[in-house]
DNA sequence: CAAGACCGGTGAGTAAAATTCACTCATGCG
DNA sequence: CGCATGAGTGAATTTTACTCACCGGTCTTG
């Protein structure tokens, strides 16, 4: 009998986000779901209340005054619950969190974004550790690890998918023209990476494109390969995530774009830390910052 | 990043009810789910918070102080949301609600409970209408109807299951001895009911018991049949719900108990009234009052 | 002014979550 | 001791949430 008008609680988060953004699509992005999911939850809520909550225009969504008011109440109510939950949650150990990550992703993606991390999640201190392959949380004293799912993850690790791997050839802008020119393509040097020697083969298999190199060269890590590519040594094959900043700066170009190779990067964590607020905030930040990398429209 | 400690919202209602009752089983009863469902939601919540919320003793559950506090916050937060939702929900038309119901269930079950209804749901005025069979909300100006699912319900009606039909023979206490006595059983008069002529056959089929009556008699409605049984005319077959009060008063006894016949009673409503607060409150009251009728332990 | 991007709605299919069912265990009670 | 009661749980099932792929509008842009 109590709370007879209470709407389905699962509709509240999508609703609140939608009102805040005045957009279902934006809310969906924030919540890491599709716009369809938000659309349906809004419909649930409206059906439950028996009222429409938005004025639907074609490109814009206008929350009604009642919707704004309800959203404000919801925000407030959730704030209270969140605060209460925080108080109850076991005090997190104050020490820094150790995050393990592939060397190149670390150097070319994560480190340049540390200032943003420090700004957005000021209460979390992160220790960075370069590493790949199997994760041993206890042995290596690691709290979180970013890994590509090209090997089986520990059974009990918590995992959050971050973004799909997409690879593509990159080179100095002035070399790009040669690649599409049959005569020039055969005079190009292919740059291989020691830690992922099959990358070129993968790319050829996926795209069906051929590459008949004049010569080949292998460097241990992607950051070295990219360095060589930027120096004009040849054409490297690289993950989009690590090449991204160089592409934006114009130091490298990707004449063939990038294609998914079927693998994805995940954030792995100790199951016991799943409800640690710092872990949650760091996870949220990583998800937010990597969601663009997972976006096909960013295929360049 | 906001609300990083927010627990799954669906766990809040079971949690709040469990704290209030200091019992999962009681909370489950209130929410009309099994205790297992509550148990699992509590586990979800505890996992999400990373803390235990109850001290588990064998027969009793003690909410921790933190749990009490969280429950209080949750109550408060849900109150706010409920109030806001109420304000937004379209003003319900003020008129009385018309409830249609089988004549006997109306006379022998609902009418005796009207004082309780008036006490618990004071803001709802109910018009009662005796009727059975197909429901025509519009034509008959009916808002809600209680019906047994022995015929197809309207496609678009909202429906809430209330309780399982259970039938059994009833008679005056002094006649009961005869029924189990082979010689006496054949001298008994079977009382049939016009609106459900196959009830005795159903019962024989379900129980496998035989009844070789000296004579038979048919009366139109169950309330007449029960009246005759109470007068000692013979043995009636009746739904538990309508015989219940007479059994408790000792006017009738049910020497063979009651058995489910596979059908159930449902509350049907106009889909447009589903979010009407008065309909919700009336539905909640009916569910609460009929849940005992649905309880196998009440098989007498 | 057509081509494409963007937004929200939606049918169908799928994944995930909630719930039930049918048990177990532990224990207090007559 | 046998029974009743309340909670936990593995497996199955049902319900709900979500995704995917598409549609129809409309605003933008070359």
């Amino acid at each position: 009998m109590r709370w007879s008008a209470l709407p389905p609680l699962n509709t509240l988060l999508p609703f609140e986000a939608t009102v805040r953004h005045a957009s279902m699509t934006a809310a969906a992005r924030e919540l890491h779901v599709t716009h369809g999911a938000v659309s349906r939850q809004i419909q649930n809520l409206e059906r439950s209340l028996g009222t429409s909550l938005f004025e639907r225009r074609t490109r814009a969504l206008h929350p009604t005054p009642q919707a704004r008011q309800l959203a404000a109440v919801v925000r407030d109510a959730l704030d209270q619950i969140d605060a209460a939950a925080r108080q109850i949650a076991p005090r997190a150990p104050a020490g820094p969190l150790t995050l393990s990550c592939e060397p190149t992703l670390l150097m070319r993606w994560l480190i340049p974004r540390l200032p943003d991390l420090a700004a957005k999640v000021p209460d979390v201190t992160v220790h960075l550790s370069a590493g790949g392959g199997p994760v041993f949380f206890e042995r290596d004293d690691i709290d979180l690890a970013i890994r590509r799912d090209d090997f089986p993850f520990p059974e009990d690790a918590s995992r959050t998918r971050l973004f799909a791997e997409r690879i593509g050839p990159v080179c100095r802008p002035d070399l790009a023209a040669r690649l599409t020119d049959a005569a020039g393509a055969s005079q190009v040097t292919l740059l291989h990476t020691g830690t992922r020697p099959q990358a070129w083969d993968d790319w050829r298999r996926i795209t069906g494109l051929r590459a008949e190199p004049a010569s080949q060269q292998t460097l241990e890590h992607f950051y070295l390969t990219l360095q060589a590519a930027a120096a004009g040594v040849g054409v490297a094959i690289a993950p989009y995530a690590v090449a991204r900043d160089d592409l934006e700066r114009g130091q490298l170009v990707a004449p063939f774009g990038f294609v998914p190779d079927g693998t994805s990067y995940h954030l792995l964590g100790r199951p016991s830390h799943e409800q640690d607020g710092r872990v949650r905030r760091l996870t949220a930040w990583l998800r937010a910052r990597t969601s663009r990398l997972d976006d096909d429209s960013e295929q360049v």
Side-chain angles (χ1 to χ4, degrees), chain A:
Chain A
M1 265 151 263
R2 198 168 180 177
W3 300 326
S4 55
L6 202 64
L9 298 182
N10 278 346
T11 66
L12 296 182
L13 271 84
F15 165 69
E16 191 279 334
T18 301
V19 171
R20 186 150 32 81
H21 291 127
S23 155
M24 296 195 195
T25 310
R29 257 197 304 274
E30 175 181 317
L31 300 170
H32 303 287
V33 293
T34 60
H35 81 270
V38 174
S39 170
R40 281 171 157 75
Q41 291 292 36
I42 298 290
Q43 284 167 29
N44 285 352
L45 180 59
E46 291 184 324
R47 189 161 37 72
S48 154
L49 294 174
T51 308
S52 174
L53 291 166
F54 296 90
E55 193 188 333
R56 267 92 164 166
R57 297 293 180 76
T58 334
R59 292 253 331 227
L61 205 63
H62 293 295
T64 64
Q66 296 100 49
R68 282 181 206 287
Q69 195 199 322
L70 178 61
V73 171
V74 167
R75 256 191 291 279
D76 206 56
L78 296 188
D79 274 343
Q80 291 172 244
I81 294 172
D82 185 64
R86 241 178 248 280
Q87 283 208 327
I88 286 179
R91 275 274 132 260
L97 290 174
T98 302
L99 171 63
S100 165
C101 178
E102 288 184 358
T104 302
L105 191 62
L106 184 59
M107 291 194 55
R108 308 285 282 218
W109 189 86
L110 189 51
I111 290 178
R113 282 157 185 79
L114 282 180
D116 180 68
L117 174 61
K120 297 277 172 56
V121 195
D123 60 327
V124 177
T125 315
V126 181
H127 275 186
L128 296 174
S129 159
V135 184
F136 301 98
F137 292 115
E138 294 293 341
R139 194 193 70 185
D140 302 339
D141 201 22
I142 288 170
D143 297 304
L144 293 164
I146 297 175
R147 288 287 186 278
R148 207 159 54 93
D149 54 1
D150 56 346
F151 66 94
F153 293 159
E155 253 310 304
D156 59 343
S158 72
R159 62 199 65 183
T160 306
R161 186 184 171 285
L162 293 177
F163 58 95
E165 174 73 314
R166 291 187 328 222
I167 56 177
V170 294
C171 63
R172 214 167 63 182
D174 59 308
L175 277 179
R178 283 222 228 149
L179 296 178
T180 44
D181 160 15
S186 56
Q187 296 171 20
V188 136
T189 298
L190 285 201
L191 296 168
H192 291 268
T193 300
T195 53
R196 194 132 27 118
Q198 78 294 2
W200 272 112
D201 289 341
D202 286 347
W203 183 78
R204 277 191 282 251
R205 186 171 34 71
I206 297 166
T207 60
L209 293 174
R210 296 236 300 290
E212 296 292 347
S215 65
Q216 316 212 16
Q217 179 144 14
T218 299
L219 294 108
E220 181 58 10
H221 292 294
F222 278 117
Y223 60 86
L224 300 171
T225 324
L226 287 170
Q227 199 75 32
V233 177
V235 183
I237 179 95
Y240 175 64
V242 303
R244 184 168 185 276
D245 288 358
D246 283 344
L247 294 168
E248 290 205 334
R249 264 188 250 108
Q251 299 201 266
L252 291 173
V253 292
F256 302 97
F258 294 84
V259 293
D261 73 352
T263 63
S264 292
Y265 287 86
H266 298 254
L267 179 66
L268 307 179
R270 306 196 193 201
S272 57
H273 289 195
E274 230 172 328
Q275 64 284 343
D276 182 328
R278 298 171 308 149
V279 171
R280 289 209 201 183
R281 285 190 288 282
L282 181 53
T283 304
W285 178 82
L286 276 169
R287 290 234 294 167
R289 298 306 316 228
T290 55
S291 65
R292 316 189 43 207
L293 297 174
D294 200 30
D295 190 350
D296 276 348
S297 71
E298 233 193 38
Q299 283 230 16
V300 178

